[in-house]
Amino acid sequence: MTGFRLLALLGGLLASVWAGSAPCAGIVGGRKARPGRFPFLASIQYQGDHFCGGALIHSRFVLTAASCFRVGNPAIATVVLGAYDLRRRERSRQTFSIRSISENGYDPQENLNDLLVLQLDREANLTSRVALVPLPLQNATVEPGTNCQVAGWGITRPGGHLSRYPRVINVTVTPESQCRPNNVCTGVLTRRGGTCQGDGGTPLICNGLAHGVASFSREPCGSGPDFFARVALFRNWINSVLNTRSDEPVGVL
């Protein structure tokens, strides 16, 4: 499905998934991820159509981007865990409705605080295909030059189709001069590559931790840098959400 058709189906839900840029936000230049490689990935969908990514951080909570729900009502969306091939009804899938959302001062004009915690309607069953991703400590940093990975079902070229399978690309954290204090920025050094439409909310994995949430990208897709909300700035807030809304032990490290 093209990004344009998806926008029409969502009826404004995706008016600006990639805040601050034209809708050019899938993995460009990546490769097909192997099944089970990213068991924490969530596909956020509307009537069975993927429109944003996310990461399972607790058995009842998914971390995504606030920009994914800039216009629409989260109650109409579903969260799918354990997905791989979006065109098949896989036995590994678990589908949830959204019980509540928590945001922390999201500013769409300045692309600030672009994180959202979704509470699922029930507890996820943790398996080899559905697992938690650990988060960094409060105010932890990821140094420029660090090699990271980002994966998602987004489009693979501007104006193209959503990927049937999650695609992954190796990216490098850029110098602070090419980013902003509240973001982690990445680029691909040797060729065109990066995030594109449909990858909003997907996690940036550095040294095994989800250091970023895909927020916005410069156009055209893959030209970099890509901007991720810096998760470490919100770690204490995330913990407070999980502890306030659930009696279960916090499932992040």
Side-chain angles (χ1 to χ4, degrees):
M1 175 177 293
T2 66
F4 295 106
R5 183 182 172 196
L6 183 59
L7 286 172
L9 283 172
L10 294 176
L13 183 61
L14 264 182
S16 183
V17 166
W18 233 230
S21 71
C24 182
I27 300 297
V28 174
R31 62 191 182 278
K32 181 179 175 181
R34 68 178 184 272
R37 174 64 181 84
F38 300 98
F40 47 80
L41 277 184
S43 171
I44 303 175
Q45 302 182 359
Y46 173 72
Q47 295 185 352
D49 293 313
H50 171 92
F51 67 91
C52 264
L56 187 67
I57 59 172
H58 181 282
S59 60
R60 287 198 66 175
F61 294 90
V62 166
L63 184 65
T64 187
S67 52
C68 289
F69 297 95
R70 182 173 175 179
V71 175
N73 181 358
I76 67 176
T78 57
V79 176
V80 180
L81 302 174
Y84 181 69
D85 183 346
L86 294 183
R87 299 182 188 176
R88 295 184 58 190
R89 295 185 177 181
E90 301 153 308
R91 296 181 62 183
S92 60
R93 287 196 189 192
Q94 301 176 39
T95 302
F96 306 83
S97 60
I98 297 172
R99 179 176 178 181
S100 68
I101 66 171
S102 300
E103 61 92 31
N104 190 11
Y106 170 55
D107 182 344
Q109 279 69 46
E110 298 295 329
N111 299 320
L112 296 174
N113 309 325
D114 192 6
L115 286 93
L116 199 69
V117 176
L118 306 176
Q119 183 180 17
L120 307 178
D121 65 320
R122 66 187 190 282
E123 185 176 355
N125 179 29
L126 302 183
T127 68
S128 61
R129 294 293 182 92
V130 176
L132 308 179
V133 64
L135 304 182
L137 298 176
Q138 179 69 27
N139 296 325
T141 60
V142 55
E143 296 299 321
T146 300
N147 294 320
C148 306
Q149 287 188 318
V150 60
W153 287 274
I155 66 175
T156 57
R157 59 182 176 82
H161 296 261
L162 290 172
S163 178
R164 177 174 178 173
Y165 308 98
R167 299 181 68 82
V168 58
I169 191 169
N170 296 326
V171 296
T172 302
V173 175
T174 63
E176 294 181 3
S177 60
Q178 300 176 23
C179 195
R180 305 188 307 178
N182 60 311
N183 290 112
V184 178
C185 295
T186 66
V188 178
L189 301 181
T190 58
R191 56 190 171 88
R192 182 176 175 181
T195 54
C196 201
Q197 188 171 347
D199 287 327
T202 202
L204 174 70
I205 306 300
C206 307
N207 300 319
L209 304 176
H211 270 278
V213 169
S215 177
F216 67 99
S217 179
R218 302 301 186 194
E219 58 176 308
C221 296
S223 61
D226 294 329
F227 290 74
F228 296 79
R230 186 179 159 200
V231 172
L233 296 180
F234 302 88
R235 176 59 194 275
N236 289 344
W237 170 75
I238 292 170
N239 282 354
S240 71
V241 171
L242 271 55
N243 288 324
T244 300
R245 293 187 177 273
S246 176
D247 295 331
E248 302 168 359
V250 174
V252 289
L253 300 180

